Amino acid sequence: MSPNMAKLPLMRHIVNRGLASAAARALESELPIETSVLANKVQVLSIESQSPIVRVSVQIKAGSRYETADNLGVSHVLRSACGLATSSASAFAVTRIIQERGANLYAVNDRDSISYTLECNLQALEPCLKVLNAVTSQQLFKPWEVVDNVPRLKYELALVPPQARVIDMLHGAAFRTGLGNSLFIPKYLLGSQGSETLQHFVSNTFLGNRTVVATTGLSHNAAKIFAERLGFPEGAGLETSSQYYGGELRKRGKGLAHIAIATQGAGINQKEALAFGVLQQALGTGPSVKYGTNAGSTLAKAVTDAAAGQTATASALNVSHQDAGLFGVVLACEPRVAGKVTEAAVKALRSGVTEDAIKAGKAKLKAAILGAAESALTVTEDIGQQGLLKGSAESASALASAVDSLSSSDVNNAARKVSSGKLSIAALGDISNVPYLDQLK
């Protein structure tokens, strides 16, 4: 906490003057991305800046889509096991080294990948990199530690918000298996994914061909040295399909009705990916400012009118995985108006967008891309994801230019695919008035 003295106008003036006298440093998003591929096929992406904070992200194709019926939930357990004992450090040592140096180390998993990200001061880099190496490539999964981690998994499941849960269900309805696998371990399988299951999954996914190391604030040579020390063997590992089927999942409960409706979208490798991004912004993704009403959104207006004064919110949904995607809408509303709200949202989804909405959508998407690039941590993770899923990475300014080059016909073609596509629906909560899939047109 800063002292009260720093809040005085005079002190603010002095602080601002002091900061203004320093030489300006280029943002990570404006610097070139250096790329290398090691002998074991690990891809290394780096942005060398003068930042005193270093970010290193190890991203691996080991998401939930690679699970089978025999190990459902293993990617969630694997992510939660970050920080347990390794062959070179105990769980206590991992925590102590990171915390003593004021660093941050965490793991994130999604359907395509799992990433281990380190953020630390340049002076504390060497010991922190050793810890990142250990938790990424030297896991032991001691049976007693895996068992002791079950309460943490229960706690994480209890914290999953209904919006995330219904989108997770939507994937299951749309893809069934592969991309349809849940991000979260089913409650009935808690404690069933033991050390052998985890080791087997890691041995089939933590391979050079499936790994990207992305860094900012670190020289490219240093990034390559770290990537080599991971010691991942070369190999392609597990593969999975991503066929879109379309379907329906419903789970009754209490409270508001949460509904997610989507049709087939575009994967990150497909040329329509940016067009679907513009279409999402054109339909509306919620208020752009705090406490805003999003009154200009076609989708929001349709849902608000249908709710007739009752609580109802809507946001366009656009999810792009490596080779497939979903495009639709996420709703939350009072149960009594769920039927009218759902029908209005589907009608708005299938109605297309105007030329003015497309222009606004392009501006909003560019703002979102450039705004996210102001965070060096986001840039690090983003170039890693691009390298992992696309094979190469583009800067934020290049992506913004690509958005500018989109024509109205590109966005309208995406809208027509949504209009004619087969729907999927997931519903959670008090869904007594939510229409079934065969009732939606």
Side-chain angles (χ1 to χ4, degrees), residues 24-367:
R25 181 179 64 83
L27 294 174
E28 280 78 0
S29 59
E30 299 172 350
L31 296 171
I33 302 171
E34 295 186 67
T35 306
S36 294
V37 179
L38 305 183
N40 61 349
K41 305 304 180 184
V42 172
Q43 187 178 176
V44 181
L45 302 169
S46 69
I47 298 176
E48 189 172 350
S49 66
Q50 301 302 314
S51 172
I53 305 298
V54 176
R55 286 95 178 175
V56 182
S57 183
V58 181
Q59 305 193 11
I60 307 159
K61 289 182 181 178
S64 62
R65 68 180 298 171
Y66 300 105
E67 297 171 358
T68 66
D70 297 325
N71 62 1
L72 287 177
V74 67
S75 64
H76 182 187
V77 179
L78 177 62
R79 192 265 304 155
S80 184
C82 175
L84 299 185
T86 69
S87 60
S88 60
S90 66
F92 174 77
V94 168
T95 302
R96 183 188 64 185
I97 293 170
I98 294 298
Q99 291 188 350
E100 278 184 347
R101 288 154 179 83
N104 189 22
L105 173 65
Y106 61 90
V108 176
N109 71 302
D110 56 33
R111 284 179 165 77
D112 289 297
S113 64
I114 183 169
S115 62
Y116 298 85
T117 302
L118 170 70
E119 190 175 27
C120 71
N121 193 285
L122 186 61
Q123 282 73 28
L125 181 60
E126 185 176 352
C128 291
L129 279 182
K130 289 181 180 179
V131 173
L132 178 60
N133 188 335
V135 301
T136 306
S137 61
Q138 301 172 18
Q139 306 100 322
L140 289 180
F141 305 120
K142 294 179 178 179
W144 54 92
E145 289 190 344
V146 174
V147 171
D148 289 343
N149 197 50
V150 170
R152 177 179 176 178
L153 290 169
K154 291 181 180 179
Y155 179 71
E156 290 177 355
L157 290 176
L159 292 180
V160 179
Q163 295 87 351
R165 183 71 71 182
V166 78
I167 294 174
D168 190 67
M169 292 170 59
L170 180 66
H171 279 78
F175 296 106
R176 301 180 185 174
T177 59
L179 286 174
N181 291 340
S182 175
L183 288 175
F184 315 106
I185 183 171
K187 290 183 179 179
Y188 68 90
L189 289 178
L190 282 168
S192 65
Q193 309 298 3
S195 299
E196 291 184 3
T197 303
L198 288 165
Q199 290 286 10
H200 184 265
F201 185 72
V202 166
S203 65
N204 283 284
T205 53
F206 282 45
L207 302 170
N209 304 56
R210 308 167 65 91
T211 303
V212 166
V213 174
T215 71
T216 54
L218 193 65
S219 71
H220 193 64
N221 285 336
K224 290 197 294 183
I225 291 172
F226 169 75
E228 289 171 351
R229 289 176 178 172
L230 291 175
F232 288 160
E234 182 180 351
L238 302 174
E239 294 297 334
T240 181
S241 62
S242 57
Q243 182 177 350
Y244 178 89
Y245 295 95
E248 180 174 14
L249 284 177
R250 303 166 71 95
K251 186 175 181 180
R252 293 187 178 275
K254 297 180 179 179
L256 297 175
H258 295 272
I259 308 116
I261 307 164
T263 185
Q264 190 169 11
I268 194 172
N269 281 310
Q270 296 171 323
K271 61 181 180 180
E272 302 99 334
L274 283 178
F276 275 101
V278 172
L279 181 60
Q280 179 194 20
Q281 298 293 333
L283 285 172
T285 58
S288 300
V289 296
K290 193 173 184 180
Y291 304 125
T293 61
N294 198 29
S297 165
T298 304
L299 179 61
K301 186 178 185 305
V303 167
T304 301
D305 291 346
Q310 298 295 316
T311 300
T313 61
S315 174
L317 172 72
N318 180 39
V319 183
S320 292
H321 300 288
Q322 182 176 8
D323 51 356
L326 291 175
F327 188 91
V329 59
V330 181
L331 307 167
C333 62
E334 292 288 344
R336 71 185 73 177
V337 296
K340 293 181 179 179
V341 165
T342 303
E343 291 171 356
V346 172
K347 184 178 180 180
L349 192 65
R350 293 201 182 276
S351 297
V353 287
T354 64
E355 186 67 27
D356 288 341
I358 292 174
K359 290 180 180 179
K362 291 173 69 173
K364 289 179 181 179
L365 182 58
K366 286 172 57 182

